Structures are given as structure tokens and as C-alpha cells.
Amino acid sequence: MLKNKVILVILDGCRYDTAKEQMGFLNSLVTHQKAQLAKVIAEMPSNSRPLYEVLMTGTPMHQNQIYTNLAVQRSKEVSLFELVKKAGGLTAVAGYYWLSELYNQAPYNIMTDRIQHDQDKLIQHGIFYSEDHYPDSHVFADGNALINEYQPDFMVVHSMNIDDVGHKYTANSKEYLTAVNYADIILGYFIPIWQKLGYQLIVTADHGMDQFGLHGGSLNEHREVPLFYLGNDLELGTEDIPQLKVMPLVCDLLGIQQVGQ
């Protein structure tokens, strides 16, 4: 039996410093000791598909072999989805189609894979999107629908608008700041609902964004991302957290053991 139900929110492309400046709802919870905030140092390459794999498996690129965003293949590592399923739990995702390709089936086919309900898959319930401008409000509504219908033990909600806007306008733009600010507003609506359902929550990002609208390298702007924790079972401390440690943190919340630990 799992110890907690957990929702992992991934705000694609959200920088740590911008989250501290623009996310008033979450930072208010931190100020009043209702949440904790830590800085996560993302792995490299600081690109989305490799870092989804880092977050879900706790393994570095040289081990998991998801080298680039062009790696259209199933993960070969043991993921959080597999561990939760083996523990008798239920998994769900509302997110970008690369998550479906990594953990359910590749390549993604929008005609058959957009909505998935299959107890035999690692992601047992999924609503996936394949356009980067798919509205964040819709992604969170998709996630809320899956939570209401299936009460998953491990839920991933992954939004793309911050990253999409950052590439189009750069991290120094009004548009990027607005996207981060708006994600906080959406979270301010859904998080209280999910907490009342008994979920522990982690809100983080895969990578950041620089002043040229890029990521993928070694700059602080590429690698420093937030991790907000809303719950009572972890003490994050004051040190920066390597991104490889996020998956074990989720394991601790769920009450399952990472393979090899």
C-alpha cells in the first residue's frame, strides 16, 4: 500500500528566479510556512525529453540514453510509473506527448494515443497533447478530470506554455513573465482542491530559459529551476537539490523504494 497520493506538476521551461518573482500564490504559501521552496539544479543536456526521463527515473543521460529531444523511443529504465504500478497503485498523466512515447508507446499517434485508458500500460490513464501552445488552463483541467474520475495514486500534470512563450519571446520578455505568473494563478485554483482530496504536491520544472529564448546548455538560466513542496512528509532543507534527487523524493512521499536503493 502506498503511503501518500502524489501530484507532480512540471512547468516546462520555468526558471527559478522567475518563479520566485512571479508566482505569488506559491511564494505566499512558502512565506507562511504552508509550503517549502528549494532550488533544483537540472541535469544536462537541459532539454525537455532527456529531463522528463531524469525526473521519472532518477538516472543521468549517459545511463538512460535519452540523449536529445529527437530520441523517439521508449525508456529502458524503471520509472515512477512502473514502481507505483508494481506497488498496486494507479498512475495518470495530463501532459505532452513525449511522456506517452517514453513510458507507453512510441511513436505517438494523435489518432489513437491522445486519450489512453489501459490498466496494462505504465501510464494507465492519460490525456496527451502535441502542440506547444495547447493552453495551460486546458492541461490542468485535463488533469483535474483524471483525478476526479480515477483518483490516481501518482499523477503528473505537465504544462508547456511557459517554454513555448520563452522560445518565442525570450526569458526577458513580458510574455514569459506573464506565462509564469498565469501558471501560478491556475495553480492557485487547483491546488486547494487537490489538497482537500488528500494529495501531496510537488511543483517543479524540467529546465529554464535564457535571454535568447534558448536552453539545453550549462548556464544557470538553463539549469536552475524551482521545486515547491506542499505537504508534511519532507524537509527540503536549504541546500540546492540535484535534479537526480527529485525522483527519490517522490519515492519517499509515495512510500516506495527506488530500484537499486
Side-chain angles (χ1 to χ4, degrees), residues 7-51:
I7 298 172
L8 176 63
V9 176
I10 303 171
L11 304 175
D12 206 291
C14 184
R15 283 169 47 155
Y16 175 80
D17 56 354
T18 309
K20 285 199 70 174
E21 293 169 356
Q22 294 297 328
M23 306 195 86
F25 165 71
L26 287 173
N27 282 291
S28 177
L29 295 179
V30 174
T31 298
H32 293 283
Q33 299 182 332
K34 302 298 182 183
Q36 299 174 57
L37 170 63
K39 181 189 293 182
V40 169
I41 308 302
E43 282 287 293
M44 293 185 288
S46 51
N47 285 320
S48 292
R49 196 189 299 253
L51 297 185

mmCIF file of all heavy atoms in Angstrom, residues 7-51:
data_model
loop_
_atom_site.group_PDB
_atom_site.id
_atom_site.type_symbol
_atom_site.label_atom_id
_atom_site.label_comp_id
_atom_site.label_asym_id
_atom_site.label_seq_id
_atom_site.Cartn_x
_atom_site.Cartn_y
_atom_site.Cartn_z
ATOM 1 N N ILE A 7 0.808 14.329 -6.511
ATOM 2 C CA ILE A 7 0.712 15.005 -7.806
ATOM 3 C C ILE A 7 2.041 15.707 -8.057
ATOM 4 O O ILE A 7 2.500 16.497 -7.224
ATOM 5 C CB ILE A 7 -0.432 16.021 -7.845
ATOM 6 C CG1 ILE A 7 -1.789 15.325 -7.634
ATOM 7 C CG2 ILE A 7 -0.433 16.785 -9.179
ATOM 8 C CD1 ILE A 7 -2.957 16.285 -7.473
ATOM 9 N N LEU A 8 2.661 15.412 -9.188
ATOM 10 C CA LEU A 8 3.887 16.072 -9.625
ATOM 11 C C LEU A 8 3.534 17.002 -10.777
ATOM 12 O O LEU A 8 3.111 16.555 -11.838
ATOM 13 C CB LEU A 8 4.922 15.043 -10.073
ATOM 14 C CG LEU A 8 6.230 15.596 -10.652
ATOM 15 C CD1 LEU A 8 6.997 16.404 -9.624
ATOM 16 C CD2 LEU A 8 7.099 14.456 -11.195
ATOM 17 N N VAL A 9 3.689 18.304 -10.560
ATOM 18 C CA VAL A 9 3.425 19.304 -11.585
ATOM 19 C C VAL A 9 4.758 19.719 -12.192
ATOM 20 O O VAL A 9 5.687 20.099 -11.470
ATOM 21 C CB VAL A 9 2.700 20.534 -11.004
ATOM 22 C CG1 VAL A 9 2.517 21.607 -12.076
ATOM 23 C CG2 VAL A 9 1.352 20.136 -10.412
ATOM 24 N N ILE A 10 4.864 19.667 -13.518
ATOM 25 C CA ILE A 10 6.066 20.076 -14.234
ATOM 26 C C ILE A 10 5.698 21.277 -15.100
ATOM 27 O O ILE A 10 4.916 21.149 -16.053
ATOM 28 C CB ILE A 10 6.630 18.947 -15.100
ATOM 29 C CG1 ILE A 10 6.921 17.700 -14.257
ATOM 30 C CG2 ILE A 10 7.897 19.410 -15.829
ATOM 31 C CD1 ILE A 10 7.280 16.467 -15.080
ATOM 32 N N LEU A 11 6.270 22.433 -14.762
ATOM 33 C CA LEU A 11 6.062 23.657 -15.538
ATOM 34 C C LEU A 11 7.225 23.776 -16.510
ATOM 35 O O LEU A 11 8.300 24.269 -16.161
ATOM 36 C CB LEU A 11 5.991 24.871 -14.614
ATOM 37 C CG LEU A 11 4.931 24.829 -13.507
ATOM 38 C CD1 LEU A 11 5.071 26.041 -12.600
ATOM 39 C CD2 LEU A 11 3.530 24.749 -14.099
ATOM 40 N N ASP A 12 7.029 23.331 -17.721
ATOM 41 C CA ASP A 12 8.118 23.236 -18.682
ATOM 42 C C ASP A 12 8.738 24.614 -18.931
ATOM 43 O O ASP A 12 8.051 25.571 -19.263
ATOM 44 C CB ASP A 12 7.597 22.661 -19.999
ATOM 45 C CG ASP A 12 8.670 21.956 -20.790
ATOM 46 O OD1 ASP A 12 9.572 22.640 -21.297
ATOM 47 O OD2 ASP A 12 8.613 20.720 -20.889
ATOM 48 N N GLY A 13 10.070 24.699 -18.751
ATOM 49 C CA GLY A 13 10.796 25.917 -19.071
ATOM 50 C C GLY A 13 10.759 27.006 -18.022
ATOM 51 O O GLY A 13 11.140 28.147 -18.315
ATOM 52 N N CYS A 14 10.361 26.694 -16.786
ATOM 53 C CA CYS A 14 10.205 27.713 -15.753
ATOM 54 C C CYS A 14 11.494 27.902 -14.958
ATOM 55 O O CYS A 14 11.935 26.987 -14.253
ATOM 56 C CB CYS A 14 9.061 27.349 -14.805
ATOM 57 S SG CYS A 14 8.724 28.611 -13.568
ATOM 58 N N ARG A 15 12.086 29.077 -15.027
ATOM 59 C CA ARG A 15 13.295 29.402 -14.291
ATOM 60 C C ARG A 15 13.020 29.603 -12.800
ATOM 61 O O ARG A 15 11.946 30.063 -12.410
ATOM 62 C CB ARG A 15 13.925 30.688 -14.841
ATOM 63 C CG ARG A 15 14.659 30.531 -16.110
ATOM 64 C CD ARG A 15 15.029 31.837 -16.763
ATOM 65 N NE ARG A 15 15.630 32.841 -15.878
ATOM 66 C CZ ARG A 15 16.441 33.806 -16.308
ATOM 67 N NH1 ARG A 15 16.760 33.868 -17.596
ATOM 68 N NH2 ARG A 15 16.926 34.691 -15.471
ATOM 69 N N TYR A 16 14.048 29.315 -11.994
ATOM 70 C CA TYR A 16 13.933 29.501 -10.543
ATOM 71 C C TYR A 16 13.709 30.969 -10.180
ATOM 72 O O TYR A 16 12.792 31.297 -9.411
ATOM 73 C CB TYR A 16 15.195 28.976 -9.864
ATOM 74 C CG TYR A 16 15.232 29.229 -8.373
ATOM 75 C CD1 TYR A 16 14.537 28.401 -7.496
ATOM 76 C CD2 TYR A 16 15.967 30.278 -7.838
ATOM 77 C CE1 TYR A 16 14.572 28.619 -6.128
ATOM 78 C CE2 TYR A 16 16.004 30.514 -6.473
ATOM 79 C CZ TYR A 16 15.311 29.682 -5.622
ATOM 80 O OH TYR A 16 15.338 29.902 -4.266
ATOM 81 N N ASP A 17 14.531 31.869 -10.707
ATOM 82 C CA ASP A 17 14.415 33.268 -10.313
ATOM 83 C C ASP A 17 13.078 33.871 -10.747
ATOM 84 O O ASP A 17 12.473 34.662 -10.008
ATOM 85 C CB ASP A 17 15.597 34.097 -10.833
ATOM 86 C CG ASP A 17 15.791 34.012 -12.337
ATOM 87 O OD1 ASP A 17 15.099 33.232 -13.016
ATOM 88 O OD2 ASP A 17 16.668 34.751 -12.848
ATOM 89 N N THR A 18 12.592 33.471 -11.915
ATOM 90 C CA THR A 18 11.304 33.987 -12.373
ATOM 91 C C THR A 18 10.160 33.442 -11.521
ATOM 92 O O THR A 18 9.198 34.158 -11.219
ATOM 93 C CB THR A 18 11.080 33.642 -13.853
ATOM 94 O OG1 THR A 18 12.220 34.034 -14.612
ATOM 95 C CG2 THR A 18 9.857 34.347 -14.398
ATOM 96 N N ALA A 19 10.255 32.178 -11.120
ATOM 97 C CA ALA A 19 9.242 31.607 -10.234
ATOM 98 C C ALA A 19 9.196 32.360 -8.910
ATOM 99 O O ALA A 19 8.118 32.640 -8.366
ATOM 100 C CB ALA A 19 9.526 30.130 -9.993
ATOM 101 N N LYS A 20 10.353 32.710 -8.363
ATOM 102 C CA LYS A 20 10.386 33.459 -7.107
ATOM 103 C C LYS A 20 9.789 34.853 -7.269
ATOM 104 O O LYS A 20 9.153 35.382 -6.355
ATOM 105 C CB LYS A 20 11.828 33.575 -6.590
ATOM 106 C CG LYS A 20 12.382 32.305 -5.983
ATOM 107 C CD LYS A 20 13.586 32.582 -5.096
ATOM 108 C CE LYS A 20 13.172 33.302 -3.836
ATOM 109 N NZ LYS A 20 14.308 33.460 -2.881
ATOM 110 N N GLU A 21 9.972 35.446 -8.435
ATOM 111 C CA GLU A 21 9.494 36.806 -8.655
ATOM 112 C C GLU A 21 8.016 36.874 -9.029
ATOM 113 O O GLU A 21 7.325 37.842 -8.684
ATOM 114 C CB GLU A 21 10.319 37.463 -9.766
ATOM 115 C CG GLU A 21 11.772 37.708 -9.394
ATOM 116 C CD GLU A 21 12.603 38.111 -10.591
ATOM 117 O OE1 GLU A 21 12.057 38.127 -11.728
ATOM 118 O OE2 GLU A 21 13.791 38.402 -10.408
ATOM 119 N N GLN A 22 7.519 35.870 -9.754
ATOM 120 C CA GLN A 22 6.201 35.989 -10.387
ATOM 121 C C GLN A 22 5.119 35.078 -9.798
ATOM 122 O O GLN A 22 3.943 35.280 -10.104
ATOM 123 C CB GLN A 22 6.331 35.695 -11.893
ATOM 124 C CG GLN A 22 7.158 36.711 -12.651
ATOM 125 C CD GLN A 22 6.543 38.095 -12.632
ATOM 126 O OE1 GLN A 22 5.327 38.250 -12.595
ATOM 127 N NE2 GLN A 22 7.388 39.114 -12.646
ATOM 128 N N MET A 23 5.483 34.101 -8.970
ATOM 129 C CA MET A 23 4.493 33.131 -8.504
ATOM 130 C C MET A 23 4.041 33.498 -7.095
ATOM 131 O O MET A 23 4.475 32.919 -6.083
ATOM 132 C CB MET A 23 5.057 31.714 -8.587
ATOM 133 C CG MET A 23 5.568 31.377 -9.980
ATOM 134 S SD MET A 23 5.865 29.624 -10.297
ATOM 135 C CE MET A 23 4.217 29.113 -10.810
ATOM 136 N N GLY A 24 3.122 34.457 -7.023
ATOM 137 C CA GLY A 24 2.691 34.986 -5.738
ATOM 138 C C GLY A 24 1.934 33.990 -4.884
ATOM 139 O O GLY A 24 2.083 33.985 -3.649
ATOM 140 N N PHE A 25 1.109 33.168 -5.483
ATOM 141 C CA PHE A 25 0.353 32.173 -4.715
ATOM 142 C C PHE A 25 1.299 31.210 -4.018
ATOM 143 O O PHE A 25 1.235 31.030 -2.791
ATOM 144 C CB PHE A 25 -0.612 31.421 -5.634
ATOM 145 C CG PHE A 25 -1.171 30.163 -5.021
ATOM 146 C CD1 PHE A 25 -2.092 30.226 -3.988
ATOM 147 C CD2 PHE A 25 -0.757 28.916 -5.475
ATOM 148 C CE1 PHE A 25 -2.591 29.064 -3.406
ATOM 149 C CE2 PHE A 25 -1.253 27.755 -4.907
ATOM 150 C CZ PHE A 25 -2.173 27.825 -3.867
ATOM 151 N N LEU A 26 2.199 30.601 -4.786
ATOM 152 C CA LEU A 26 3.090 29.609 -4.199
ATOM 153 C C LEU A 26 4.062 30.239 -3.206
ATOM 154 O O LEU A 26 4.333 29.676 -2.134
ATOM 155 C CB LEU A 26 3.854 28.876 -5.304
ATOM 156 C CG LEU A 26 3.033 27.877 -6.117
ATOM 157 C CD1 LEU A 26 3.851 27.345 -7.289
ATOM 158 C CD2 LEU A 26 2.546 26.724 -5.245
ATOM 159 N N ASN A 27 4.595 31.397 -3.540
ATOM 160 C CA ASN A 27 5.546 32.030 -2.632
ATOM 161 C C ASN A 27 4.887 32.528 -1.351
ATOM 162 O O ASN A 27 5.526 32.576 -0.294
ATOM 163 C CB ASN A 27 6.273 33.162 -3.347
ATOM 164 C CG ASN A 27 7.364 32.649 -4.270
ATOM 165 O OD1 ASN A 27 8.383 32.135 -3.817
ATOM 166 N ND2 ASN A 27 7.145 32.761 -5.570
ATOM 167 N N SER A 28 3.614 32.885 -1.421
ATOM 168 C CA SER A 28 2.890 33.234 -0.199
ATOM 169 C C SER A 28 2.790 32.035 0.728
ATOM 170 O O SER A 28 2.957 32.156 1.949
ATOM 171 C CB SER A 28 1.496 33.757 -0.534
ATOM 172 O OG SER A 28 0.763 34.028 0.655
ATOM 173 N N LEU A 29 2.537 30.861 0.159
ATOM 174 C CA LEU A 29 2.488 29.647 0.982
ATOM 175 C C LEU A 29 3.833 29.380 1.640
ATOM 176 O O LEU A 29 3.905 28.956 2.797
ATOM 177 C CB LEU A 29 2.072 28.451 0.125
ATOM 178 C CG LEU A 29 0.657 28.484 -0.456
ATOM 179 C CD1 LEU A 29 0.398 27.246 -1.301
ATOM 180 C CD2 LEU A 29 -0.394 28.603 0.649
ATOM 181 N N VAL A 30 4.922 29.650 0.906
ATOM 182 C CA VAL A 30 6.261 29.477 1.477
ATOM 183 C C VAL A 30 6.472 30.466 2.617
ATOM 184 O O VAL A 30 6.959 30.105 3.702
ATOM 185 C CB VAL A 30 7.344 29.658 0.391
ATOM 186 C CG1 VAL A 30 8.744 29.634 1.014
ATOM 187 C CG2 VAL A 30 7.228 28.563 -0.671
ATOM 188 N N THR A 31 6.116 31.717 2.402
ATOM 189 C CA THR A 31 6.280 32.756 3.425
ATOM 190 C C THR A 31 5.560 32.392 4.717
ATOM 191 O O THR A 31 6.079 32.619 5.825
ATOM 192 C CB THR A 31 5.762 34.107 2.902
ATOM 193 O OG1 THR A 31 6.536 34.495 1.768
ATOM 194 C CG2 THR A 31 5.836 35.181 3.972
ATOM 195 N N HIS A 32 4.392 31.804 4.588
ATOM 196 C CA HIS A 32 3.580 31.462 5.761
ATOM 197 C C HIS A 32 3.759 30.001 6.186
ATOM 198 O O HIS A 32 2.948 29.466 6.933
ATOM 199 C CB HIS A 32 2.112 31.773 5.479
ATOM 200 C CG HIS A 32 1.841 33.235 5.319
ATOM 201 N ND1 HIS A 32 1.766 34.105 6.384
ATOM 202 C CD2 HIS A 32 1.673 34.007 4.201
ATOM 203 C CE1 HIS A 32 1.534 35.323 5.952
ATOM 204 N NE2 HIS A 32 1.479 35.298 4.630
ATOM 205 N N GLN A 33 4.835 29.379 5.705
ATOM 206 C CA GLN A 33 5.243 28.029 6.112
ATOM 207 C C GLN A 33 4.171 26.979 5.829
ATOM 208 O O GLN A 33 4.029 26.008 6.563
ATOM 209 C CB GLN A 33 5.639 28.024 7.592
ATOM 210 C CG GLN A 33 6.814 28.955 7.882
ATOM 211 C CD GLN A 33 7.257 28.944 9.336
ATOM 212 O OE1 GLN A 33 6.465 28.679 10.232
ATOM 213 N NE2 GLN A 33 8.525 29.222 9.567
ATOM 214 N N LYS A 34 3.444 27.193 4.735
ATOM 215 C CA LYS A 34 2.499 26.198 4.246
ATOM 216 C C LYS A 34 3.069 25.417 3.062
ATOM 217 O O LYS A 34 2.423 24.517 2.540
ATOM 218 C CB LYS A 34 1.184 26.865 3.834
ATOM 219 C CG LYS A 34 0.494 27.641 4.942
ATOM 220 C CD LYS A 34 0.101 26.735 6.098
ATOM 221 C CE LYS A 34 -0.639 27.513 7.176
ATOM 222 N NZ LYS A 34 -0.971 26.650 8.350
ATOM 223 N N ALA A 35 4.264 25.803 2.628
ATOM 224 C CA ALA A 35 4.971 25.128 1.542
ATOM 225 C C ALA A 35 6.459 25.385 1.725
ATOM 226 O O ALA A 35 6.870 26.265 2.487
ATOM 227 C CB ALA A 35 4.503 25.634 0.179
ATOM 228 N N GLN A 36 7.260 24.594 1.033
ATOM 229 C CA GLN A 36 8.708 24.778 1.034
ATOM 230 C C GLN A 36 9.174 25.001 -0.403
ATOM 231 O O GLN A 36 8.580 24.475 -1.343
ATOM 232 C CB GLN A 36 9.406 23.541 1.593
ATOM 233 C CG GLN A 36 9.041 23.192 3.024
ATOM 234 C CD GLN A 36 9.655 21.878 3.458
ATOM 235 O OE1 GLN A 36 10.876 21.696 3.416
ATOM 236 N NE2 GLN A 36 8.824 20.939 3.870
ATOM 237 N N LEU A 37 10.251 25.780 -0.541
ATOM 238 C CA LEU A 37 10.832 26.046 -1.850
ATOM 239 C C LEU A 37 12.312 25.721 -1.817
ATOM 240 O O LEU A 37 13.027 26.133 -0.901
ATOM 241 C CB LEU A 37 10.642 27.510 -2.246
ATOM 242 C CG LEU A 37 11.403 27.991 -3.491
ATOM 243 C CD1 LEU A 37 10.952 27.246 -4.744
ATOM 244 C CD2 LEU A 37 11.240 29.505 -3.665
ATOM 245 N N ALA A 38 12.775 24.987 -2.824
ATOM 246 C CA ALA A 38 14.192 24.698 -2.999
ATOM 247 C C ALA A 38 14.577 24.981 -4.439
ATOM 248 O O ALA A 38 13.735 24.981 -5.341
ATOM 249 C CB ALA A 38 14.491 23.240 -2.651
ATOM 250 N N LYS A 39 15.863 25.226 -4.643
ATOM 251 C CA LYS A 39 16.399 25.372 -5.988
ATOM 252 C C LYS A 39 16.917 24.022 -6.455
ATOM 253 O O LYS A 39 17.711 23.373 -5.776
ATOM 254 C CB LYS A 39 17.536 26.392 -6.018
ATOM 255 C CG LYS A 39 18.145 26.610 -7.406
ATOM 256 C CD LYS A 39 19.400 27.456 -7.341
ATOM 257 C CE LYS A 39 19.085 28.885 -6.907
ATOM 258 N NZ LYS A 39 20.321 29.728 -6.882
ATOM 259 N N VAL A 40 16.456 23.586 -7.615
ATOM 260 C CA VAL A 40 16.916 22.343 -8.232
ATOM 261 C C VAL A 40 17.900 22.688 -9.342
ATOM 262 O O VAL A 40 17.668 23.617 -10.121
ATOM 263 C CB VAL A 40 15.728 21.533 -8.789
ATOM 264 C CG1 VAL A 40 16.211 20.384 -9.667
ATOM 265 C CG2 VAL A 40 14.859 21.004 -7.648
ATOM 266 N N ILE A 41 18.990 21.937 -9.410
ATOM 267 C CA ILE A 41 19.973 22.086 -10.480
ATOM 268 C C ILE A 41 19.741 20.971 -11.496
ATOM 269 O O ILE A 41 20.003 19.802 -11.224
ATOM 270 C CB ILE A 41 21.413 22.036 -9.953
ATOM 271 C CG1 ILE A 41 21.593 23.026 -8.794
ATOM 272 C CG2 ILE A 41 22.394 22.332 -11.085
ATOM 273 C CD1 ILE A 41 21.283 24.459 -9.134
ATOM 274 N N ALA A 42 19.222 21.354 -12.661
ATOM 275 C CA ALA A 42 18.852 20.367 -13.679
ATOM 276 C C ALA A 42 20.080 19.681 -14.257
ATOM 277 O O ALA A 42 21.177 20.237 -14.326
ATOM 278 C CB ALA A 42 18.058 21.041 -14.796
ATOM 279 N N GLU A 43 19.881 18.463 -14.676
ATOM 280 C CA GLU A 43 20.895 17.713 -15.404
ATOM 281 C C GLU A 43 21.106 18.329 -16.793
ATOM 282 O O GLU A 43 20.359 19.198 -17.231
ATOM 283 C CB GLU A 43 20.449 16.251 -15.556
ATOM 284 C CG GLU A 43 20.647 15.417 -14.300
ATOM 285 C CD GLU A 43 22.106 15.102 -14.050
ATOM 286 O OE1 GLU A 43 22.715 14.350 -14.842
ATOM 287 O OE2 GLU A 43 22.648 15.621 -13.051
ATOM 288 N N MET A 44 22.120 17.855 -17.468
ATOM 289 C CA MET A 44 22.379 18.255 -18.849
ATOM 290 C C MET A 44 22.313 17.025 -19.746
ATOM 291 O O MET A 44 22.620 15.922 -19.293
ATOM 292 C CB MET A 44 23.740 18.935 -18.968
ATOM 293 C CG MET A 44 23.821 20.273 -18.267
ATOM 294 S SD MET A 44 25.386 21.109 -18.554
ATOM 295 C CE MET A 44 26.500 20.107 -17.568
ATOM 296 N N PRO A 45 21.907 17.202 -21.010
ATOM 297 C CA PRO A 45 21.524 18.471 -21.627
ATOM 298 C C PRO A 45 20.209 18.981 -21.032
ATOM 299 O O PRO A 45 19.311 18.192 -20.753
ATOM 300 C CB PRO A 45 21.366 18.117 -23.105
ATOM 301 C CG PRO A 45 20.987 16.672 -23.103
ATOM 302 C CD PRO A 45 21.744 16.070 -21.957
ATOM 303 N N SER A 46 20.138 20.281 -20.862
ATOM 304 C CA SER A 46 18.959 20.883 -20.225
ATOM 305 C C SER A 46 17.837 21.054 -21.249
ATOM 306 O O SER A 46 17.365 22.153 -21.517
ATOM 307 C CB SER A 46 19.333 22.221 -19.585
ATOM 308 O OG SER A 46 20.014 23.064 -20.507
ATOM 309 N N ASN A 47 17.421 19.911 -21.800
ATOM 310 C CA ASN A 47 16.323 19.842 -22.767
ATOM 311 C C ASN A 47 15.219 18.952 -22.232
ATOM 312 O O ASN A 47 15.438 18.107 -21.351
ATOM 313 C CB ASN A 47 16.818 19.326 -24.115
ATOM 314 C CG ASN A 47 17.599 20.378 -24.876
ATOM 315 O OD1 ASN A 47 17.243 21.555 -24.877
ATOM 316 N ND2 ASN A 47 18.680 19.962 -25.527
ATOM 317 N N SER A 48 14.040 19.084 -22.794
ATOM 318 C CA SER A 48 12.842 18.513 -22.186
ATOM 319 C C SER A 48 12.827 16.994 -22.134
ATOM 320 O O SER A 48 12.692 16.404 -21.050
ATOM 321 C CB SER A 48 11.602 19.013 -22.917
ATOM 322 O OG SER A 48 11.411 20.384 -22.690
ATOM 323 N N ARG A 49 12.943 16.329 -23.261
ATOM 324 C CA ARG A 49 12.777 14.873 -23.252
ATOM 325 C C ARG A 49 13.826 14.190 -22.356
ATOM 326 O O ARG A 49 13.461 13.327 -21.550
ATOM 327 C CB ARG A 49 12.796 14.295 -24.667
ATOM 328 C CG ARG A 49 12.245 12.861 -24.704
ATOM 329 C CD ARG A 49 12.465 12.182 -26.051
ATOM 330 N NE ARG A 49 11.835 12.807 -27.166
ATOM 331 C CZ ARG A 49 10.770 12.353 -27.823
ATOM 332 N NH1 ARG A 49 10.182 11.233 -27.408
ATOM 333 N NH2 ARG A 49 10.287 12.995 -28.865
ATOM 334 N N PRO A 50 15.116 14.573 -22.462
ATOM 335 C CA PRO A 50 16.083 13.978 -21.532
ATOM 336 C C PRO A 50 15.745 14.243 -20.069
ATOM 337 O O PRO A 50 15.965 13.378 -19.206
ATOM 338 C CB PRO A 50 17.401 14.637 -21.935
ATOM 339 C CG PRO A 50 17.228 14.991 -23.368
ATOM 340 C CD PRO A 50 15.786 15.412 -23.484
ATOM 341 N N LEU A 51 15.203 15.415 -19.769
ATOM 342 C CA LEU A 51 14.926 15.746 -18.372
ATOM 343 C C LEU A 51 13.607 15.163 -17.878
ATOM 344 O O LEU A 51 13.452 14.931 -16.674
ATOM 345 C CB LEU A 51 14.983 17.254 -18.162
ATOM 346 C CG LEU A 51 16.369 17.867 -18.433
ATOM 347 C CD1 LEU A 51 16.383 19.346 -18.086
ATOM 348 C CD2 LEU A 51 17.472 17.124 -17.679
#
